[in-house]
Amino acid sequence: MVAKDYPFYLSAKRANFALEAHTVTSPAKETEEPSNKRVKPLSRVTSLASLIPPVRATPLKRFSQTLQRSISFRSESRPDLFSPRPWSRNVPPASTKRRDSKLWSETFDVCVNHMLTSKEIKRQEAIFELSQGEEDLIEDLKLAKKAYHDPMLKLSIMTEQELNQIFGTLDSLIPLHEDLLRRLQEVRKPDGSTDHVGHILVGWLPCLNSYDSYCSNQVAAKALLDHKKQDHRVQDFLQRCLESPFSRKLDLWNFLDIPRSRLVKYPLLLREILRHTPNDHPDQQHLEEAINIIQGIVAEINIKTGESECQYYKERLIYLEEGQRDSLIDNSRAVCCHGELKNNRGVKLHVFLFEEVLVITRAVAHNDQLCYQLYRQPIPVRELLLEDLQDGEVRLGGSIRGAFSNNERIKNFFRVSFKNGSQSQTHALQANDSFNKQQWLNCIRQAKEKAACAGQAGGLEAHFPVPPQGCRVPQGEAGLEQMEQSDCESDCSMDTSELSADCERMEQTNSCESQKQIETNV
């Protein structure tokens, strides 16, 4: 072989080797005939869910534990903060300012830890968490005023009256928590440890009664804020703040809701300190007293906030005729639950379950406000009939609608009916999902049990005094430990244990009295 032909020989050999390798690895293609057709490549679809727009579901709202969750309004007439808008700015996301959690053992001298027991270290960590939480709360409240309230007032984005309605008594809460933080820092020793905090809490906790006006104003404040978001100037300002690092991806309402969240945390924080406090410690008695004080304050504010929310919705009910007015609505002091449901014709309804009456309405805009127009006559809870419907049992209205409906359209229905003489109503209502449906069923059943017990107690007033209308039983320890659950979880947490116990006692008393009467007659 000639030397100059050697490179060509290597190239040919490599080509033959590649062809043989391709033939070995893909034998199935030997029988295929070559084709000159140009095939258009298929676009990749990772998931069918990516082609379907997300569906926003309105959860059932319950007010049996008003303070345990943030107040929220969701309706089609009130756009969400994160929905795309023509005036929104498309800017790259800024770096978020994160708040790092701090531990007592990492903040102060580590050498001190070797002289303390494991239980005492946990006690110091709990006390430090209380102090650090006050510091973070003060920082957030000042930020809400400095970054939101003052600029919107200076730029005339909102009027002073509107800002006062939205922010409420926020300014008065700042010096309140600064006082507690100062007291906790004064009793802290140079090495970072704290011996006694119980006497400080007993003297300071009664100041939290000032939260009454702030929490009672939250319903009206949230409604006004949602309404003002429809103004492009307000929406643009809030969007700019949300994209800024200082916001930590929290919107204005998150900052305004922080005081409520802090209020319901105090029983948990104090109980944690008490859990790691020795029985012979001087703080033991003071901490138990402090826990009783804060539980009473939270229960009282919870009642007043529930009454404020009930009054807010009663004022926004629109009656088409005077015959729709009902004294059961006027006398109601609490809303057990409310939310959006659909009837079997697909009409969206907003249903309110007050203490003794069920009100079916339709959300309407009236005088630039979201109001609720009565759809049918109010139904007394005591005479209401509830029926849990199986999936597929309800037929959707209209032959064409029913013929082309899928299985999802006929699920999660329940029926409420009422008949009194010539008046009768029947409503097949559909919830968003099975969980939401179960919430409604539980709420209505509990309301019926409460109404039935109230009727029995009315005949036994001499033996069993009836509590005033709207009175709520203070929550037990199990209920307080579930205060800070996420808003995405169920808001359904009504406590009827004591109510059921009263019912059983009354039934036993009735049976005993009847038995004694029979024996006497014999």
Side-chain angles (χ1 to χ4, degrees), residues 326-395:
D326 196 320
S327 60
L328 295 178
I329 300 177
D330 299 333
N331 297 332
S332 296
R333 299 177 59 186
V335 181
C336 300
C337 61
H338 78 99
E340 185 181 279
L341 298 172
K342 294 181 181 179
N343 61 10
N344 59 339
R345 296 183 177 275
V347 178
K348 293 182 179 180
L349 305 172
H350 201 97
V351 183
F352 293 90
L353 178 61
F354 292 94
E355 293 170 308
E356 298 182 5
V357 62
L358 182 74
V359 182
I360 301 177
T361 69
R362 297 182 66 175
V364 296
H366 180 69
N367 293 336
D368 211 16
Q369 287 185 347
L370 180 64
C371 297
Y372 305 93
Q373 185 181 83
L374 264 70
Y375 182 72
R376 289 291 186 271
Q377 194 75 15
I379 302 177
V381 170
R382 188 176 301 179
E383 302 175 13
L384 181 146
L385 300 178
L386 177 64
E387 182 181 359
D388 185 5
L389 301 178
Q390 301 297 324
D391 292 342
E393 187 174 345
V394 176
R395 183 176 181 180

Side-chain angles (χ1 to χ4, degrees), residues 393-408:
E393 187 174 345
V394 176
R395 183 176 181 180
L396 299 180
S399 58
I400 299 179
R401 181 191 298 270
F404 292 96
S405 62
N406 52 24
N407 293 331
E408 296 297 328

Side-chain angles (χ1 to χ4, degrees), residues 42 47 73 106 118 122 126 136-137 194 210 260-261 267 272 274 278 280 350 386 407 420 444 450 492-493 497 507 510:
L42 296 176
S47 174
F73 296 88
E106 298 175 354
S118 174
K122 293 180 180 179
D136 295 341
L137 174 63
T194 302
S210 59
R260 177 209 59 83
S261 176
E272 184 68 15
L274 178 62
D280 57 348
H350 201 97
L386 177 64
N407 293 331
N420 185 7
I444 297 176
K450 186 175 180 180
C492 181
S493 53
S497 58
E507 291 175 357
N510 286 335

Side-chain angles (χ1 to χ4, degrees), residues 483-500:
M483 285 179 177
E484 273 307 299
Q485 290 182 351
S486 173
D487 289 344
C488 65
E489 296 180 342
S490 168
D491 294 330
C492 181
S493 53
M494 182 179 294
D495 184 8
T496 59
S497 58
E498 297 189 20
L499 181 63
S500 301

Side-chain angles (χ1 to χ4, degrees), residues 275-463:
R275 190 162 68 94
H276 300 296
T277 300
N279 295 331
D280 57 348
H281 197 283
D283 254 3
Q284 181 80 16
Q285 183 177 358
H286 288 132
L287 288 173
E288 292 177 353
E289 182 180 358
I291 292 175
N292 292 332
I293 292 175
I294 187 59
Q295 286 181 347
I297 293 175
V298 170
E300 184 67 23
I301 295 178
N302 190 36
I303 293 175
K304 294 183 178 180
T305 304
E307 294 176 353
S308 175
E309 291 165 343
C310 181
Q311 185 64 28
Y312 173 86
Y313 287 112
K314 287 195 299 183
E315 292 176 353
R316 279 153 184 79
L317 292 178
I318 299 178
Y319 300 92
L320 297 179
E321 55 185 19
E322 286 298 322
Q324 291 180 332
R325 295 186 179 273
D326 196 320
S327 60
L328 295 178
I329 300 177
D330 299 333
N331 297 332
S332 296
R333 299 177 59 186
V335 181
C336 300
C337 61
H338 78 99
E340 185 181 279
L341 298 172
K342 294 181 181 179
N343 61 10
N344 59 339
R345 296 183 177 275
V347 178
K348 293 182 179 180
L349 305 172
H350 201 97
V351 183
F352 293 90
L353 178 61
F354 292 94
E355 293 170 308
E356 298 182 5
V357 62
L358 182 74
V359 182
I360 301 177
T361 69
R362 297 182 66 175
V364 296
H366 180 69
N367 293 336
D368 211 16
Q369 287 185 347
L370 180 64
C371 297
Y372 305 93
Q373 185 181 83
L374 264 70
Y375 182 72
R376 289 291 186 271
Q377 194 75 15
I379 302 177
V381 170
R382 188 176 301 179
E383 302 175 13
L384 181 146
L385 300 178
L386 177 64
E387 182 181 359
D388 185 5
L389 301 178
Q390 301 297 324
D391 292 342
E393 187 174 345
V394 176
R395 183 176 181 180
L396 299 180
S399 58
I400 299 179
R401 181 191 298 270
F404 292 96
S405 62
N406 52 24
N407 293 331
E408 296 297 328
R409 300 284 306 275
I410 54 178
K411 288 184 178 180
N412 308 317
F413 271 92
F414 63 95
R415 180 181 291 122
V416 293
S417 57
F418 162 72
K419 186 174 183 179
N420 185 7
S422 60
Q423 297 181 358
S424 63
Q425 296 184 49
T426 300
H427 303 278
L429 303 175
Q430 183 183 29
N432 296 323
D433 50 41
S434 59
F435 183 74
N436 199 359
K437 170 188 172 182
Q438 192 61 43
Q439 283 184 310
W440 272 105
L441 295 176
N442 293 339
C443 286
I444 297 176
R445 287 166 181 165
Q446 291 171 1
K448 286 180 63 63
E449 292 176 3
K450 186 175 180 180
C453 292
Q456 294 178 7
L460 299 172
E461 284 184 336
H463 302 283

